[in-house]
Amino acid sequence: MAVQLDEAAGRTAPRTGKGGAPPARSGAGGRRAAPYLLLLPALLATAVFLGWPLVRNLVLSFQNLNMKELIQHLTDWRGLGNYQETLGSEQFWRVTVRTVVFTAVNVVLIMVLGTLLGLLLARLGKKMRLTLSVALVLAWAMPSIAATTVFQWLFDSRYGVVNWVLDHLGWHSMARYDWVGTQLSTFFVITVLIVWQSLPFVALNLYAATTTIPKELYEAARMDGAGTWKIFTSVTFPFLRPFFMATTFLEVIWVFKAFPQIFAINQGGPDRLTETLPIYAFTEGVGNLHFGMGAAISVLTIVVLLALTAYYLRLTLKQEEDAL
């Protein structure tokens, strides 16, 4: 009997390693490393396709690289000369202010109109909601260059639909109006195009977010006699505040770095009056064959965008702290 008890105790006793501690499980380390292994392909792709070009662009910004150096494979280091010349240029600061104002106007229009469309989707019936959603998705899916080409046709001075409609409505002076002939009219066309492309993202995401709000909150607000605006400010907006903050942040980045729409409409014209920082960097770098200068301007563009986003994130965090 004693022998049988000893054998049973031996079978049930936990195995121990040195010092009486249980031995480490061989699969625990692999499980801990699994998340990092899954992230490794994405990190490698980011480093290769984003990190390396940024490093090369930064190195290029310290060089004097024109056509001569490019053909002869010469490396002419200029140090901070490109940055000093850019920061000392009045044109750079005019373009920077123009870019910030252009971004602010577009983001405000996108968020206001996108919010209205999202709330409209929430109120429509099933069939009308599906129809409007399909139309928004089709507008969102259209490539930027294709959409820009369509808007060029719409606002064409001789054969554009917009001028034809305005002429038949009584504004005969608009029959052959050149929409890309002045700074304000060109910016108007670009703004309409960018807002039109951005509305689906905001509207569809806002509608999806409204479906998470409990209907009891709306019913309680209506029982208290709240109107449409009061319901939005007291129920919808506070509940969706994180959505508005995140979406505004993304739209600031998207509008600030908009390139194909502005360049394809009029290449920053007329007289370079509609150049934003991305267009300015391209014109100076590729257009004027000052590649080092263009690289420096692109680096400064990233710095300005980071400063704007950091300021916006600071305001967002402060508002969240005040709300708590």
Side-chain angles (χ1 to χ4, degrees):
M1 176 67 70
V3 174
Q4 293 176 350
L5 290 175
D6 291 339
E7 291 177 353
R11 288 194 299 268
T12 58
R15 298 178 181 180
T16 58
K18 292 183 178 180
R25 297 181 180 179
S26 59
R31 286 194 296 270
R32 286 195 295 268
Y36 301 100
L37 293 176
L38 294 175
L39 286 174
L40 187 60
L43 294 176
L44 289 176
T46 302
V48 171
F49 296 107
L50 181 62
W52 179 244
L54 286 175
V55 172
R56 289 292 300 167
N57 187 74
L58 181 63
V59 173
L60 185 62
S61 67
F62 296 106
Q63 299 178 13
N64 181 30
L65 182 61
N66 298 325
M67 186 58 67
K68 174 184 175 181
E69 289 79 11
L70 186 64
I71 294 175
Q72 298 182 2
H73 301 283
L74 298 177
T75 301
D76 182 13
W77 294 98
R78 198 182 179 194
L80 297 176
N82 290 328
Y83 291 97
Q84 292 174 350
E85 184 175 345
T86 301
L87 293 175
S89 171
E90 184 179 352
Q91 175 70 7
F92 171 77
W93 294 109
R94 282 200 299 265
V95 174
T96 301
V97 173
R98 184 187 304 149
T99 306
V100 173
V101 174
F102 172 76
T103 302
V105 171
N106 277 269
V107 170
V108 169
L109 290 174
I110 290 168
M111 293 305 300
V112 171
L113 297 178
T115 300
L116 293 176
L117 271 177
L119 296 176
L120 177 63
L121 283 172
R123 287 177 169 269
L124 291 176
K126 186 176 181 180
K127 293 183 179 180
M128 289 300 299
R129 183 188 303 127
L130 178 61
T131 303
L132 182 56
S133 298
V134 171
L136 290 173
V137 170
L138 291 176
W140 193 14
M142 182 177 291
S144 297
I145 294 299
T148 304
T149 303
V150 171
F151 270 73
Q152 285 177 316
W153 291 341
L154 290 174
F155 288 92
D156 184 74
S157 59
R158 298 181 62 185
Y159 306 108
V161 175
V162 174
N163 286 356
W164 181 84
V165 171
L166 293 176
D167 181 31
H168 281 70
L169 289 177
W171 287 285
H172 301 296
S173 60
M174 303 297 293
R176 292 183 177 272
Y177 182 75
D178 185 8
W179 287 94
V180 295
T182 64
Q183 182 185 33
L184 289 179
S185 61
T186 304
F187 265 132
F188 173 79
V189 176
I190 296 171
T191 299
V192 172
L193 171 59
I194 290 180
V195 171
W196 177 78
Q197 286 185 298
S198 304
L199 284 180
F201 175 77
V202 178
L204 294 174
N205 279 279
L206 177 65
Y207 165 67
T210 57
T211 60
T212 64
I213 303 177
K215 295 182 180 180
E216 293 79 6
L217 297 178
Y218 290 111
E219 295 174 358
R222 293 190 185 95
M223 291 179 64
D224 291 338
T228 304
W229 175 250
K230 185 64 176 179
I231 291 176
F232 175 78
T233 56
S234 61
V235 178
T236 306
F237 185 78
F239 201 91
L240 301 181
R241 186 187 298 271
F243 161 81
F244 285 107
M245 298 301 178
T247 306
T248 303
F249 174 74
L250 294 176
E251 290 299 330
V252 167
I253 296 176
W254 193 81
V255 175
F256 189 92
K257 66 182 183 65
F259 178 86
Q261 299 91 337
I262 303 174
F263 188 81
I265 287 292
N266 202 15
Q267 299 183 5
D271 299 327
R272 304 184 66 174
L273 292 176
T274 58
E275 282 186 348
T276 57
L277 281 174
I279 305 297
Y280 181 56
F282 179 83
T283 302
E284 291 295 326
V286 179
N288 296 334
L289 302 179
H290 298 158
F291 301 104
M293 183 68 68
I297 296 173
S298 64
V299 171
L300 292 174
T301 301
I302 296 174
V303 172
V304 173
L305 181 58
L306 290 177
L308 289 176
T309 54
Y311 177 74
Y312 176 76
L313 289 176
R314 181 181 177 184
L315 290 179
T316 302
L317 293 175
K318 184 178 180 181
Q319 290 179 358
E320 291 182 354
E321 291 176 358
D322 294 341
L324 295 176

